[in-house]
Amino acid sequence: MSGKNEEERVIITESRDQVGYDAEDAGCSGCIGTLIWLISMLLICCTFPFSLFVTVKQVQEYQRAVIFRLGRVKKGGAVGPGLFFIIPCMDSIQVVDLRTVSFDVPPQEILTKDSVTVAVDAVVYYKINNPMSAVCNVTNAAQSTRLLASTTLRNTLGTKTLQDILADREDIAKHILGSLDSATDPWGIRVERVEVKDVRLPQQLQRAMAAEAEATRQARAKVIEAEGEQKASRALKEASDIISSSPAALQLRYLQTLSSISAEKNSTIIFPLPIELLGGLLPKKEQAVRM
């Protein structure tokens, strides 16, 4: 039983610490709060209906209002949307926007795993899903999220090589999204999307990569050209074998060539001289020289 009582006492103490409860000045603050409440209500009644302009507040559909009464969060959590009533002398409000917010992460100079300096920027989309945590747990939720996004981007890309950054942008964006979402969860913020916008390389590295790509394209073009010549020579060899097997085929090919030349309206026609005639004339010339 004693152990159970001690646990209950610890739970009660922790809950009081969360709401800012102080046992020493509870009575004093209660008396002062009651006095301020009575004076405020008297002033509101005396100045009615003009007091409605300062006692009735309105928030939009996409907004919520966190009310602090004498420095403490009012019971019931955030209020809205619509109209609600406050006591001017006791209550102060902070309005929180629940719409999705986007911001650009400034370009970060990052040294990759393979010792290459790159400049990377990104865009982050987030929204507040818990107004109480966004107001009470962090001083400036928007600024804190921006700083955390910049730091997370640098830490994540610092463990990647240049090839990984250029090829796996989606996986990197998902990893950054998970890290940001888990880190901003105590602040009541949910990160919806992270996108890596641009990766800027140094000028010298760009020239080196362009030269490498150009050399690769030229080598590929030479290989393709050599393969084309090989296929063309094989086709010519097969055609020559077919023509040599039939003397009439060579004559038909000759007539086809003349027909294609005449179709182009040329004034010059070339008559090929068979090699066999030259072979018959060469021995006669050699005999004449010997005599």
Side-chain angles (χ1 to χ4, degrees):
M1 294 292 293
S2 61
K4 185 176 180 181
N5 294 334
E6 290 179 359
E7 292 179 358
E8 292 179 353
R9 192 177 299 109
V10 170
I11 294 174
I12 293 173
T13 304
E14 290 179 354
S15 62
R16 288 177 176 178
D17 292 339
Q18 291 178 357
V19 298
Y21 181 83
D22 192 353
E24 294 181 358
D25 62 349
C28 181
S29 62
C31 296
I32 296 176
T34 303
L35 179 61
I36 295 176
W37 183 83
L38 292 175
I39 296 174
S40 300
M41 295 303 296
L42 180 62
L43 292 176
I44 291 172
C45 294
C46 294
T47 57
F48 187 84
F50 300 102
S51 59
L52 294 177
F53 291 101
V54 292
T55 57
V56 178
K57 299 295 181 180
Q58 174 186 353
V59 292
Q60 303 296 329
E61 181 69 28
Y62 52 84
Q63 293 176 333
R64 297 295 183 271
V66 179
I67 302 177
F68 293 90
R69 176 160 294 176
L70 295 178
R72 296 180 179 179
V73 177
K74 187 179 177 181
K75 294 182 179 180
V79 297
L83 300 175
F84 57 93
F85 180 82
I86 65 170
I87 301 176
C89 299
M90 300 180 64
D91 296 342
S92 61
I93 62 173
Q94 289 191 12
V95 180
V96 179
D97 197 329
L98 302 183
R99 293 177 293 182
T100 299
V101 180
S102 63
F103 64 88
D104 292 327
V105 179
Q108 304 292 317
E109 294 287 340
I110 301 170
L111 183 64
T112 61
K113 190 175 181 180
D114 51 353
S115 301
V116 178
T117 303
V118 295
V120 183
D121 57 351
V123 59
V124 178
Y125 298 86
Y126 74 93
K127 66 183 301 183
I128 296 175
N129 59 356
N130 190 343
M132 297 291 294
S133 299
V135 173
C136 299
N137 293 348
V138 62
T139 303
N140 190 334
Q143 183 66 18
S144 300
T145 305
R146 291 174 184 268
L147 296 176
L148 182 61
S150 301
T151 306
T152 305
L153 180 64
R154 294 176 64 91
N155 294 338
T156 302
L157 296 183
T159 60
K160 304 290 183 180
T161 62
L162 178 61
Q163 184 66 27
D164 295 337
I165 294 175
L166 296 177
D168 299 334
R169 291 193 180 186
E170 294 183 359
D171 295 338
I172 293 174
K174 290 180 181 179
H175 185 271
I176 297 174
L177 174 62
S179 300
L180 281 177
D181 196 20
S182 60
T184 57
D185 187 63
W187 303 341
I189 293 176
R190 181 168 65 89
V191 180
E192 296 180 337
R193 191 177 182 87
V194 176
E195 292 292 340
V196 179
K197 291 175 58 178
D198 189 18
V199 179
R200 289 189 292 274
L201 305 177
Q203 293 294 331
Q204 295 180 354
L205 183 58
Q206 291 182 12
R207 296 191 190 98
M209 294 178 66
E212 181 182 359
E214 183 67 21
T216 304
R217 286 193 295 267
Q218 290 179 358
R220 191 180 297 113
K222 290 180 179 179
V223 171
I224 295 173
E225 184 180 0
E227 291 177 354
E229 291 180 356
Q230 183 180 4
K231 293 179 181 179
S233 62
R234 188 180 297 112
L236 289 175
K237 181 180 180 300
E238 294 175 358
S240 64
D241 293 339
I242 296 173
I243 292 175
S244 62
S245 63
S246 176
L250 181 60
Q251 186 67 22
L252 291 175
R253 181 60 180 167
Y254 167 66
L255 295 175
Q256 185 180 3
T257 304
L258 292 179
S259 177
S260 62
I261 292 174
S262 61
E264 296 178 0
K265 297 180 181 181
N266 293 327
S267 59
T268 303
I269 298 177
I270 300 174
F271 291 93
L273 184 63
I275 302 298
E276 290 79 2
L277 296 178
L278 295 177
L281 294 175
L282 287 176
K284 294 181 180 180
K285 290 183 178 180
E286 292 178 358
Q287 292 176 3
V289 171
R290 291 176 181 177
M291 293 176 62

